[in-house]
Amino acid sequence: MDRRKFLAGAGIGVLAAASPISLSAIENLVQPKPRKSGRLNLSFFPYELKLRHAWNLARNSRTTTPDVQVQLEYDGIVGYGEASMPPYLGETTESVMNFLSSLDLTQFNDPFKMEDILAYVDNVAPNNRAAKASVDIALHDLVGKIMGQPWYKIWGYSAEKTPNTSFTIGIDTADVVRKKVEEARPYKVIKVKMGLDNDKQTVDIIKEMMPDVPICCDANQGWSSKEYALEMCHWLKERNCLFVEQPFDKTWVDETAWLTERSPLPIIADEAFQRLPDIVKFKGVYSGINIKLMKSTGLYEAHKMVTLAKSLGMKVMVGCMTETSCAVTAAANLSPVVDFCDLDGNLLIANDRFSGMTVENGKVTLHDIPGIGVKLL
Ligand code: MG
C-alpha cells in the first residue's frame, strides 16, 4: 500500500490536515530512524597486564601477561575488545598488532553484518585467535550498544541462571597456598592447578581450610601416566572434586580416551581444544570442553560451540585467560547456559581498565549494561 494512503487510513492523515505539523514530519515520527552510513574504525594499543601474584603452572611461571586493547567505533559509538596472550597460545603483542594493522574494516558500513565482518577477519590469516577475538568482542560490544541490550539478553538467556565461578589457586609452596585459600574464602568453588609432585598436599590444605567447598582440578597437561591419572581421579572424587581438566599432553588422544572411559569424574579439554570443529573430533575423547574467547576467536564462535557441545551431550565450561574485565565480562554473557564457570582472570590482575560482571556470593552476576556489559574505569 502507498505509505501516504496508509497513514491517512490510520487516522494520522486527519491529524496532519488539522495541525500545522507536516505529513513528512509525522512520517519521520513513525519511521525507524535510518542508521547513519558510517564506517567501522578500528584502533588498538598494547597494554601489559600486571599479575597480583606470580602465576605458576605445571609448565611455566610469569608475573605479567601481554595484552592488546581494541576499540571499534561506528557513528560515535565505541565497542571495546581485548586480546590476551598467555605464552602457550603462541601469539605476541607484535603478532596481534601486525594482524590488526592488516585489517581494513572501513570497507564495512553496517556493523550488524557480523557474519560477513567476522568471516573477513577470520580469512585474512590463519591462527591469530586472540587477535581475532579482540575484534569479535569489540564488534559484539558495539552492536549490543546500538541495540541497547546486553548479549545475554539478546541470546535469550536468564541472568538468574548464572553458575558459581571457581577461583583458581596456582601451584605454590604450602604457605602461599594457605594465603591464597584465605583470599578465596568468598568463592563457592576452588580450582586447583596440578601437575607437580605436591598435588595431594595442595588439595589437602584446601580441604582442611574449606572442607565443604567443591574443588576442580586442572593438570595443565602435567600428568604423564594413565594409571597415576586414574588413581588421582578416584582420590579427587572422594574429596568432592567436580572435574579434571587437561590431564595429559594435548597430543595424548588415546590415553585421554582411556582415562575418560574409566574416570569417575568428567575429563575436560582445555589446551587440546581450540575452535568449533574440534568439538566433534573430541567427542568420546573428553567428557567436555573449556571454551575461552582467546581460543575460539571470540563470542560468535563460542556461542555456536555451546550449542553444539550440549547437543552432543558434552559438558560445557566457560573459562578465560588472565584478562581485564572486558574479555571476562564478554565471556560471562554465556555463563547462564554452561555447566561450569571459571571466570576469575580479571581478579588476578592489578591494572584492570573496566568494570563489568561481578562475583557476588560466589556467583557470576550479570548487569543490565548494553553490549558485552562493561564500562571504562
Ligand atoms: Mg585449563
Side-chain angles (χ1 to χ4, degrees):
M1 182 190 283
D2 176 88
R3 201 167 48 190
R4 283 170 189 264
K5 279 186 190 159
F6 171 76
L7 290 172
I12 299 174
V14 176
L15 174 65
S19 81
I21 304 171
S22 69
L23 187 59
S24 64
I26 293 170
E27 280 185 309
N28 282 341
L29 287 175
V30 297
Q31 291 294 314
K33 280 190 183 164
R35 288 194 302 276
K36 293 182 210 167
S37 56
R39 298 279 166 188
L40 287 169
N41 295 302
L42 182 70
S43 57
F44 46 89
F45 60 92
Y47 187 75
E48 188 177 70
L49 304 177
K50 317 261 184 241
L51 308 187
R52 289 184 189 278
H53 300 286
W55 190 237
N56 301 322
L57 303 178
R59 295 188 170 191
N60 59 61
S61 172
R62 64 180 197 273
T63 55
T64 60
T65 302
D67 186 279
V68 173
Q69 296 282 308
V70 168
Q71 288 189 196
L72 192 57
E73 185 269 339
Y74 177 83
D75 281 348
I77 301 174
V78 175
Y80 295 103
E82 166 177 31
S84 168
M85 292 83 70
Y88 83 92
L89 288 182
E91 286 176 80
T92 62
T93 300
E94 194 187 6
S95 73
V96 170
M97 302 281 280
N98 285 342
F99 179 84
L100 296 176
S101 299
S102 74
L103 300 177
D104 176 17
L105 295 183
T106 60
Q107 65 185 289
F108 297 102
N109 62 7
D110 184 353
F112 282 84
K113 292 189 174 170
M114 299 175 82
E115 173 91 29
D116 292 348
I117 297 166
L118 296 173
Y120 158 74
V121 171
D122 200 17
N123 288 321
V124 163
N127 303 318
N128 290 286
R129 288 182 291 270
K132 291 171 182 176
S134 70
V135 180
D136 167 287
I137 295 167
L139 183 61
H140 278 80
D141 195 31
L142 175 67
V143 168
K145 281 173 174 166
I146 295 170
M147 295 171 83
Q149 297 294 336
W151 272 94
Y152 68 88
K153 283 193 176 178
I154 296 168
W155 287 326
Y157 298 161
S158 303
E160 306 77 50
K161 292 187 178 168
T162 54
N164 290 324
T165 182
S166 49
F167 182 85
T168 304
I169 294 181
I171 295 170
D172 233 310
T173 61
D175 282 350
V176 176
V177 168
R178 279 179 205 286
K179 225 165 87 185
K180 288 182 181 171
V181 176
E182 276 307 324
E183 264 181 55
R185 289 260 180 224
Y187 294 85
K188 306 288 184 201
V189 184
I190 301 297
K191 179 165 161 178
V192 54
K193 295 289 189 181
M194 292 196 157
L196 295 183
D197 298 340
N198 60 350
D199 286 351
K200 287 187 176 175
Q201 184 196 20
T202 306
V203 171
D204 284 339
I205 293 170
I206 295 167
K207 296 311 290 181
E208 174 200 314
M209 294 177 71
M210 298 174 79
D212 300 327
V213 171
I215 55 170
C216 32
C217 294
D218 188 354
N220 287 109
Q221 312 183 74
W223 292 345
S224 50
S225 147
K226 288 192 301 184
E227 291 73 21
Y228 173 77
L230 184 58
E231 185 222 311
M232 281 301 290
C233 287
H234 283 286
W235 186 84
L236 288 164
K237 170 80 177 169
E238 288 164 16
R239 282 151 187 84
N240 196 14
C241 181
L242 302 174
F243 61 84
V244 168
E245 193 178 326
Q246 201 62 55
F248 305 129
D249 188 281
K250 60 186 178 184
T251 61
W252 283 30
V253 175
D254 292 344
E255 293 83 351
T256 307
W258 180 92
L259 179 64
T260 298
E261 204 183 322
R262 292 162 178 78
S263 167
L265 296 173
I267 305 295
I268 306 289
D270 186 5
E271 285 87 339
F273 164 79
Q274 312 285 342
R275 296 193 62 175
L276 190 65
D278 295 335
I279 296 178
V280 175
K281 203 167 73 187
F282 285 140
K283 163 83 179 145
V285 177
Y286 292 88
S287 326
I289 53 167
N290 185 353
I291 298 172
K292 296 176 178 173
L293 300 188
M294 296 303 138
K295 300 190 299 177
S296 72
T297 69
L299 282 170
Y300 198 74
E301 195 161 310
H303 184 238
K304 292 180 180 176
M305 285 175 175
V306 173
T307 309
L308 177 58
K310 285 172 87 85
S311 73
L312 292 171
M314 295 174 81
K315 300 276 184 202
V316 177
M317 170 177 177
V318 64
C320 61
M321 309 297 176
T322 41
E323 300 162 348
T324 72
S325 289
C326 178
V328 171
T329 305
N333 283 273
L334 293 165
S335 67
V337 289
V338 303
D339 300 290
F340 309 115
C341 198
D342 183 28
L343 292 176
D344 62 350
N346 55 333
L347 305 172
L348 305 175
I349 64 165
N351 57 340
D352 203 346
R353 294 184 68 228
F354 296 91
S355 62
M357 77 86 149
T358 49
V359 179
E360 288 168 25
N361 204 18
K363 184 175 146 76
V364 171
T365 306
L366 296 167
H367 302 282
D368 201 359
I369 301 171
I372 58 170
V374 296
K375 288 183 176 167
L376 203 55
L377 287 172

